[in-house]
Amino acid sequence: MGFDVLFDAIALVFTSGSAIYILAGVLLGLCFGVIPGLGGTTALALLIPVTFTMDSLDAMYLAGGVMGATSFGGSITAILINTPGTAPNAATTFDGYPLARQGKAGMAIGASATASALGGVIGLFTLLLIIPLAKELVLAFGPAEFLLLTILGLVAIAVSARGKLLRGLIAGGFGLMLAFVGSDTVSGELRFTLDTDYLWDGIPLVPTLTGMFALSQMIELALKGGSVAAKAEDAKTRISGIWTGVASVFKHWTVLLRGSAIGTVIGAIPGLGGTVASFIAYTSTVQASRDPESFGKGNIVGVIAPEAANNAKDGGSLVPTVAFGIPGSAETALFLGILVLHGIEPGPSILLQNEREVYGLIVALTASAVGASLIGLLLARWLVMITFINVHFLVPVVVTVSLTGVYVLDGRPGDVILAMIMGIVGYLMIRFDYPRLTLVIALVLGETAERSFHQTRQISDGEILGYMLDRPQSIVLIVLTLLTLFLPALRRRRTRAKAAP
């Protein structure tokens, strides 16, 4: 099953001096993860020319170090200043930032670091088990399954907006409207582009997320004044909270396993990626909780679930990448470019011809996920101090860095303008208590839902339901969607039954 090769790859890392490349990748990934708007995609794009003269295995170590570290790096700013360093970390802000406001930033960072490390290890171990079955797994998901997965995500939107279902549906509808901007996925006809070529490819996700979560929060902080943390506790309490966060991950081990499983499965499906994985992990945790009202107010479980999924998705996304040359995410698309640059042809034969590089990458990803978390824990006692800086000093820095990161990503002034517009929209949603999460999930899933619907309709000659019911994997997804839809009603009924005399 390849474990001999895996052990050889581990030994090679620590005997050849190549571990320095993993460490360099980890440090680079943490830096790019912490800076809002950059992330692993930008870091890997910059690395492509750098790795040209490197040995192929060392290039895998460097790239793996970056990919494994950016996820945790992005969670640091998501927790401390409600500014996700990378798009998938947006789900971490919902409970991570309220914990920071309560003076428990150390606890949130400790939980995030531990969940990231363990989620990454679980995801990569799952990858080792899946590699022999990769072809069958990837081919099992066709357009019908993509459509059902997006429907499952959209149903989770409505269910997760507890207490404000109508407002959640309105926000989700607005997100779907934004998802339909740009060229039609089937005919190529331009829609709602306002006669500007900037919108031809649709609403870009990174500027939208940066504005919706980073800039909107900075507007709110600037108007409130004070500091991020609502109350200043003594340094000893803040530092000890880190290990409380670490322990909480083991206390809630079922949440860790569920988040890791979701991240691995979603990561293996091309086109979805870490943003969808972390949001679905978060909403599923809310639905499964006995105290759903505590989410969004500082529930540590709301940090564990998305961070576990975010790191576990790296293992899953490598399945279609190495097996078929189909990138499972934006990061693995750039990683694919590094593979081709070094003469490695992705596809079913890669494990026969380049087994050393593939398992070297697995080792690098595992080591970087753990290494990034350890480094983050060591620095956490200083990082929590960010939450006690006066917002009038903090806001200009965050806004400048966020907008710079948005611009650097593609070099388009329109991205900066969009981020500012979405920042105002996000602040208005905060002001009038509309859930931003529902808008974001709808925006992420809208394009995939539309494309998959048209493809399924063409394949089935218009008999979409009958076609789905003939596919076992589609039936499983239909059942999961129905359970997600009716679970809140069943829970309320059980609660009333218990309360009845």
Side-chain angles (χ1 to χ4, degrees), residues 195-445:
D195 293 325
T196 171
D197 56 2
Y198 173 75
L199 295 175
W200 284 8
D201 293 327
I203 302 290
L205 183 61
V206 171
T208 300
L209 287 174
T210 301
M212 188 64 62
F213 294 106
L215 300 186
S216 63
Q217 198 62 50
M218 291 304 105
I219 294 172
E220 187 189 31
L221 281 177
L223 293 175
K224 284 185 175 180
S227 62
V228 172
K231 55 181 180 179
E233 298 183 6
D234 60 272
K236 182 177 180 181
T237 302
R238 295 198 303 273
I239 295 171
S240 64
I242 296 170
W243 303 111
T244 304
V246 173
S248 69
V249 177
F250 295 97
K251 178 181 177 181
H252 301 288
W253 59 272
T254 55
V255 175
L256 172 72
L257 292 179
R258 181 171 58 242
S260 301
I262 290 172
T264 305
V265 173
I266 297 298
I269 301 170
L272 296 186
T275 305
V276 176
S278 58
F279 281 144
I280 290 180
Y282 182 85
T283 54
S284 67
T285 302
V286 173
Q287 294 166 23
S289 173
R290 295 180 179 177
D291 185 21
E293 300 301 327
S294 65
F295 286 83
K297 301 175 183 177
N299 191 328
I300 195 65
V301 172
V303 174
I304 297 171
E307 284 304 310
N310 196 6
N311 265 46
K313 66 95 173 48
D314 290 328
S317 64
L318 284 176
V319 174
T321 304
V322 300
F324 295 103
I326 303 171
S329 64
E331 286 186 5
T332 51
L334 287 162
F335 171 69
L336 200 61
I338 295 177
L339 286 180
V340 175
L341 183 67
H342 286 270
I344 300 173
E345 192 65 33
S349 63
I350 191 172
L351 289 175
L352 298 176
Q353 299 176 3
N354 302 98
E355 198 175 49
R356 185 179 73 117
E357 284 79 5
V358 171
Y359 282 94
L361 175 65
I362 292 173
V363 171
L365 280 170
T366 306
S368 62
V370 176
S373 297
L374 290 175
I375 292 172
L377 286 174
L378 292 174
L379 298 178
R381 65 180 63 193
W382 293 281
L383 291 172
V384 295
M385 299 301 178
I386 295 175
T387 62
F388 297 94
I389 299 175
N390 189 289
V391 296
H392 295 300
F393 297 104
L394 184 66
V395 169
V397 174
V398 173
V399 171
T400 302
V401 171
S402 297
L403 293 180
T404 301
V406 165
Y407 178 74
V408 167
L409 193 62
D410 289 311
R412 298 185 298 181
D415 287 345
V416 177
I417 297 172
L418 176 63
M420 291 190 292
I421 292 173
M422 297 309 295
I424 296 172
V425 172
Y427 170 71
L428 292 174
M429 294 183 75
I430 295 173
R431 175 70 177 79
F432 296 102
D433 198 24
Y434 279 77
R436 292 170 293 170
L437 170 63
T438 57
L439 186 151
V440 170
I441 295 182
L443 175 62
V444 171
L445 296 180

Side-chain angles (χ1 to χ4, degrees), residues 155-172 283 286-287 293 433-438 488:
V155 167
I157 293 177
V159 174
S160 64
R162 295 178 181 275
K164 40 191 173 183
L165 179 60
L166 180 59
R167 294 184 181 190
L169 289 173
I170 292 173
T283 54
V286 173
Q287 294 166 23
E293 300 301 327
D433 198 24
Y434 279 77
R436 292 170 293 170
L437 170 63
T438 57

Side-chain angles (χ1 to χ4, degrees), residues 58-133:
D58 290 338
M60 297 304 103
Y61 292 149
L62 188 61
V66 169
M67 292 169 66
T70 49
S71 297
F72 173 62
S75 72
I76 294 174
T77 48
I79 290 168
L80 297 182
I81 52 177
N82 202 31
T83 304
T86 66
N89 296 118
T92 307
T93 62
F94 301 125
D95 282 283
Y97 181 68
L99 284 167
R101 293 279 294 173
Q102 298 165 21
K104 299 177 182 178
M107 178 182 179
I109 289 177
S112 172
T114 309
S116 294
L118 295 177
V121 171
I122 292 171
L124 289 161
F125 180 74
T126 305
L127 172 63
L128 288 173
L129 299 177
I130 288 176
I131 280 178
L133 306 172

Side-chain angles (χ1 to χ4, degrees), residues 174-192:
F174 185 61
L176 283 176
M177 290 170 59
L178 293 179
F180 297 144
V181 171
S183 58
D184 188 287
T185 55
V186 177
S187 66
E189 181 182 354
L190 296 177
R191 308 171 300 183
F192 318 118

